[in-house]
Amino acid sequence: MSVPRTLDGFDVAAAIGRMLDQPMLWWQAVGLFVEHFADWEQAWRESVGDHAREQKRVHALRSAAANVGATALAERAAALENQLLKCLAGQANAVPDNLRQSLQQSFRQTWLAAAEAWKSAAPSSEGRGR
C-alpha cells in the first residue's frame, strides 16, 4: 500500500513527524480516522441541543483530526468546542450557527478526501482488514 505524500486538508509532513517519522503509522491512523468517523456527522447532529453530549463528540473529532494532521478541521472543531464549553459554564447562551456550519463543511471535505485516498491506495477493497 502506497502512503500519499500529500492529502487535501492535511499537513502530512507535520503529522508524520509527530508519529516518529513513520509514514505508515500516519497512514494507518488516517485509515482508523476514516473508519471511526464514518458516521460521526449523523451522531453529532443527533447530539445538537445537548451541549455536554455535543462537546464530547466535537472533542473526539478535534483530537483525532489534530492527530492525523487535519489542522483546519481541528481548528474548526476547537472553535465549536470552546463555545460549547462556554455554554456549559454559563458564560454563553447559544452556539452561533456559523460555527456548526463551518465544522460540518470542513468535516465533509476532510473526511471525504481521506476516505477517497484510503480507498484508492488499497490493493483491494474486499476482504481487507484495517
Side-chain angles (χ1 to χ4, degrees):
M1 176 183 318
S2 175
V3 177
R5 293 177 185 250
T6 62
L7 183 57
D8 190 33
F10 291 78
D11 185 342
V12 176
I16 290 173
R18 282 191 307 278
M19 294 190 182
L20 307 173
D21 291 320
Q22 295 183 32
M24 188 53 78
L25 184 59
W26 168 76
W27 190 232
Q28 289 170 344
V30 171
L32 290 172
F33 173 80
V34 168
E35 184 177 326
H36 184 75
F37 289 93
D39 63 351
W40 180 85
E41 186 176 348
Q42 180 179 348
W44 168 57
R45 287 172 156 256
E46 291 169 0
S47 74
V48 172
D50 180 338
H51 292 323
R53 278 184 54 218
E54 184 179 8
Q55 184 271 327
K56 288 178 184 177
R57 295 216 183 275
V58 173
H59 176 81
L61 178 65
R62 179 187 60 81
S63 297
N67 187 51
V68 295
T71 53
L73 177 58
E75 289 169 2
R76 286 178 177 85
L80 178 54
E81 182 180 16
N82 289 336
Q83 184 65 27
L84 289 164
L85 289 170
K86 286 179 183 178
C87 289
L88 288 167
Q91 299 170 349
N93 294 323
V95 175
D97 287 339
N98 68 323
L99 288 177
R100 287 189 178 111
Q101 291 167 354
S102 178
L103 178 60
Q104 181 179 39
Q105 180 181 17
S106 184
F107 173 77
R108 286 178 178 176
Q109 291 172 343
T110 304
W111 185 88
L112 187 58
E116 288 176 352
W118 181 256
K119 182 179 178 183
S120 69
S124 169
S125 59
E126 291 183 29
R128 200 171 123 259
R130 286 179 246 186

